[in-house]
């Protein structure tokens, strides 16, 4: 038996808690605003996640955790929309199983941090470019994490692709990228 509803009636995080708590198998699809996402469950654990704009499927459990944080971050940011759950076995062998509690708080924190910089970095599809400072020889100090992000920016890659190249999740790269925009190093 399937399940469907609207986000304004019951938040997706509550639906996920109920499905995971009941040990369900299947796919929860979320649609709203400009977001289309899917979360795959097996026995109450998350085993996959898809979101428009994210790059290749994760190769290991660590990559799956980053992917799930990205998908959940986008999902908890959706204010209007709906969801539907299709019960059944998930196709393909998962690269890992992740309990919801392992990623949900992290995704909520990333979504909350994204709020103030959403006008600067509107989505994972935004394409950052390095700014040529036009004769500005002022020195710039970057930490390793920011340096990895800057090194991955080529003017063609999206935020999600830059994050993947720098071994970060897209959701957790938004605030550091916004900081680089504020410092005049990057533009969108």
């Amino acid at each position: 038996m399937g399940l469907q509803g609207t986000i304004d009636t019951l938040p997706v995080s509550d639906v996920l808690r109920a499905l995971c708590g009941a040990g369900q198998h299947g796919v929860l699809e979320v649609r709203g605003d400009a977001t289309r996402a899917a979360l795959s469950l097996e026995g109450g654990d998350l085993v996959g996640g898809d979101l428009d704009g994210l790059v290749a499927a994760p190769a290991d459990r660590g990559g799956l955790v980053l992917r799930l944080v990205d998908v959940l971050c986008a999902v908890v940011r959706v204010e209007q929309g709906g969801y539907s759950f299709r019960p059944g076995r998930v196709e393909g062998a998962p690269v890992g199983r992740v309990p919801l509690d392992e990623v949900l708080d992290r995704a909520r924190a990333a979504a909350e941090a994204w709020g103030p910089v959403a006008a600067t970095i509107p989505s994972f599809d935004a394409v950052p470019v390095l700014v040529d400072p036009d004769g500005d020889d002022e020195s710039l100090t970057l930490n390793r994490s920011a340096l990895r992000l800057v090194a991955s920016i080529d003017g063609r890659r999206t935020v999600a692709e830059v994050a993947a190249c720098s071994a970060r999740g897209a959701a957790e790269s938004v605030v550091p990228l916004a900081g680089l925009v504020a410092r005049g190093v990057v533009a969108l």
Side-chain angles (χ1 to χ4, degrees), residues 14-24 41 43-45 100:
D14 291 349
V15 173
L16 270 171
R17 282 202 187 282
L19 292 170
C20 290
Q24 292 293 314
L41 289 82
D45 288 330
L100 178 62

Side-chain angles (χ1 to χ4, degrees), residues 118-181:
T120 304
I121 312 281
S123 75
F124 295 148
D125 293 331
V127 178
V129 295
L130 294 175
V131 174
D132 184 7
D134 256 353
D136 184 2
D137 290 334
E138 193 174 314
S139 67
L140 175 69
T141 303
L142 300 174
N143 63 29
R144 290 177 196 248
S145 178
L147 182 59
R148 279 193 294 274
L149 285 172
V150 167
S152 300
I153 295 171
D154 65 1
R156 294 184 305 271
R157 292 183 182 121
T158 64
V159 168
E161 292 166 331
V162 165
C165 288
S166 63
R168 296 178 67 114
E172 295 172 324
S173 296
V174 169
V175 171
L177 276 171
L180 292 169
V181 170

